[in-house]
Amino acid sequence: MIRFVCLLFLIAPLYGQDRMQWFQHDKFGMFIHWGPYSYLAGEWKGQQIPVGTEAEWIMQRFNIPVAEYREMAHNLNPVQFDAKAWVALAKATGMKYLVITAKHHDGFAMYASKVSKYNIVDWTPFHRDPLMELSQECKKAGIRFCVYYSHREDWDHPDGFGNNWDYPRQGKNFDRYLEEKSKPQLRELLTNYGPLGLVWFDRGMDTPEHTRQFVDLVRQLQPQCLINGRVGSYGADLMGDYQNMNDNGMPTGGLQEYWETPQTLNTTWGFSKFDQQWKTPADVIHRMVEIVSKGGNYLLNIGPMADGTIPAASVATLRGVGEWMQKNSESIYGTSASPLADPNWGRITVKGDALFLHVFSWPADGKLRIAGLINDALEAHPLLDSANRLAVSKSYGTTLISLPVRPINSPDTVIVLRVNGTPKAEPTVITQGSDTPLLLDYSSAVTSGRAMKRFNRDGGFHIAKWMGPSDSATWQVLVSQAGQYHLRIRYAAGAESKGDRYRISVGHQVAEGQVLPTGDGYQYSTVDLKTLVLKSGRISVTIAPVSQLGHNLMFLHSLELVPDGPIMVE
Ligand code: JFZ
């Protein structure tokens, strides 16, 4: 028995990795926001949801009384709904997982729920369970079926979070909502729809205790099912399996964790008849490649209409994306982040010893330049024309490929470049502008040990997870102006890090500091550490904890070397 338990502890971390494999491989999923708000389509009694804001929030935006919203919900009757066609569209687009709103903030269940009659089967003339039909079609098509569940926010339940126009905040018993509705419904979803790829929680719980209850429920019922980061409060450390970026949260470099960016085809998640700001297939392809080139997943939303029709403009865009994906998906699935800096002609994804060069804008001189690649190039060809071997050369650290005269597959022609071994990049050298500080942040850092580049869920990035002297971050810096510099550090830290010592070496000089807590969350503050005299030339800068700690040192935003007044001439 003891041996068995020990074995479990040994394999548990590996098991977690194993759970992430499909997610890391698949890259591209379909998000679906669909509910009674789709019937209102952005309009309530002549008032409109402005384009650019979220139509699924209509109940809250216009403080629609529960009784009236419930009355409206009887009208939902998606007679055009065709699970097979929806899943076929996702598949033809190249999407590998599908996440649908089982319950959004309005509290209405889009599946057969025994917990509350306020669901599509019992409450509407439709009497069918779209989630059951979709889960079955997904299974047939080899697409992972997943659900979105609004676990905290519920504007229908008297004790749920968010509706203070019908139910004054003071009278609420939030735990009663969790026990009566949120957890039992999640239990139904985890029991009745086969294996779920992931549960996409939203508007996370305020306390770690509440978050833990939801994480535990998923782990208990479906240990392989992934949990997104929004299960818990955005200001706290991650309790799910991966992080969600916000819409514009694009890292400038590869993060060292799993993440996904949700985006929508126009500017609302739920259907709005007013919003015609559709992305084109080129927009979507470029966004997807950008995200995948930084190591993330792309979850792309459609907002079907109340009758079950997917807006024609959405279908057209997805078909365009699908056309590209049918030919080029090898450069997306199973790839990882590029170690190279963003080129100006497009983006790069990596698989084994191959670089996929995604050319968005065709160089006028017909030469594709790749800076900072250490490896030797073996051969290059267009992904769609493997017989066409392209000339490759290297000059002053830049790899040059002679391109065909015209792009083969706009808006993204993929060139495959094979190299000797895993692609590696020359370390980024931080250079100096005139009188501006040298900024050493996550994007140009090389981490070692347990130190990791992470997303902070308020929309920023930092280095964290370091706990001892061998967990460090290093930068290469080219000082072109000798002189006096102020060394500054910018970080956030919790109470447990108070007094923790860290050491920064700047070339041969050393500075030490002690962590001052900055409060909860990620409120970075800047501390002046030391004045240094630097000669011109290349130096490396390294920061690490001084001793072994039982916890994270700090959330390091950046180091700065700020030139002090007029620059001395050497
Ligand atoms: C949430 C929902 O409120 C919204 O209706 C939709 O379902 C969307 C996918 O998720 O909205 C959010 C939540 C978090 C961020 C942005 C929108 N965020 O962290 O930037």
Side-chain angles (χ1 to χ4, degrees), residues 31 33 56-57 104-105 148 202-203 230 234 246 269:
F31 210 0
H33 276 68
E56 73 281 3
W57 275 72
H104 204 263
H105 309 332
Y148 169 111
D202 202 0
R203 309 227 354 125
R230 288 191 191 170
Y234 303 162
N246 48 28
W269 304 92

Side-chain angles (χ1 to χ4, degrees), residues 51-63:
V51 174
T53 54
E54 297 148 328
E56 73 281 3
W57 275 72
I58 192 164
M59 180 177 179
Q60 204 261 12
R61 291 283 179 262
F62 297 134
N63 286 359

Side-chain angles (χ1 to χ4, degrees), residues 103-244:
K103 184 201 84 170
H104 204 263
H105 309 332
D106 65 359
F108 185 85
M110 291 296 284
Y111 70 97
S113 176
K114 298 228 162 26
V115 173
S116 155
K117 286 256 174 277
Y118 195 45
N119 72 75
I120 188 163
V121 178
D122 295 314
W123 200 262
T124 78
F126 193 52
H127 299 306
R128 278 160 55 191
D129 181 345
L131 266 60
M132 186 57 76
E133 294 177 27
L134 282 169
S135 68
Q136 288 164 353
E137 291 302 331
C138 279
K139 193 170 175 196
K140 284 190 223 161
I143 289 191
R144 275 173 212 269
F145 179 71
C146 314
V147 297
Y148 169 111
Y149 189 82
S150 175
H151 58 327
R152 166 169 164 268
E153 192 105 14
D154 191 305
W155 305 327
D156 187 74
H157 194 286
D159 295 304
F161 184 90
N163 180 346
N164 301 326
W165 59 98
D166 283 298
Y167 311 117
R169 203 192 293 255
Q170 311 79 268
K172 287 190 190 188
N173 178 346
F174 184 59
D175 281 288
R176 185 160 61 204
Y177 154 71
L178 295 184
E179 297 308 321
E180 273 181 6
K181 186 171 182 185
S182 191
K183 286 189 208 169
Q185 286 201 327
L186 180 59
R187 191 174 276 280
E188 289 181 322
L189 291 164
L190 287 160
T191 310
N192 300 337
Y193 297 88
L196 302 180
L198 56 87
V199 180
W200 216 95
F201 293 101
D202 202 0
R203 309 227 354 125
M205 288 295 168
D206 292 323
T207 69
E209 291 72 30
H210 280 141
T211 307
R212 175 58 58 203
Q213 293 169 17
F214 281 80
V215 170
D216 287 349
L217 189 54
V218 177
R219 296 284 186 249
Q220 178 204 333
L221 295 173
Q222 290 204 25
Q224 290 286 358
C225 176
L226 303 186
I227 299 169
N228 76 327
R230 288 191 191 170
V231 64
S233 114
Y234 303 162
D237 217 18
L238 179 73
M239 276 207 218
D241 291 299
Y242 70 89
Q243 307 244 33
N244 287 108

Side-chain angles (χ1 to χ4, degrees), residues 256 442 444-453 463-476 505 541-545 548 552-553 556:
Q256 295 168 319
Y442 81 97
S444 50
V446 175
T447 56
S448 54
R450 282 164 297 191
M452 289 206 322
K453 305 177 187 188
I463 296 169
K465 298 273 164 183
W466 33 12
M467 299 201 285
S470 57
D471 307 328
S472 62
T474 299
W475 294 263
Q476 302 303 321
S505 58
V541 177
T542 296
I543 173 169
Q548 209 59 47
N552 179 43
L553 173 70
L556 176 71

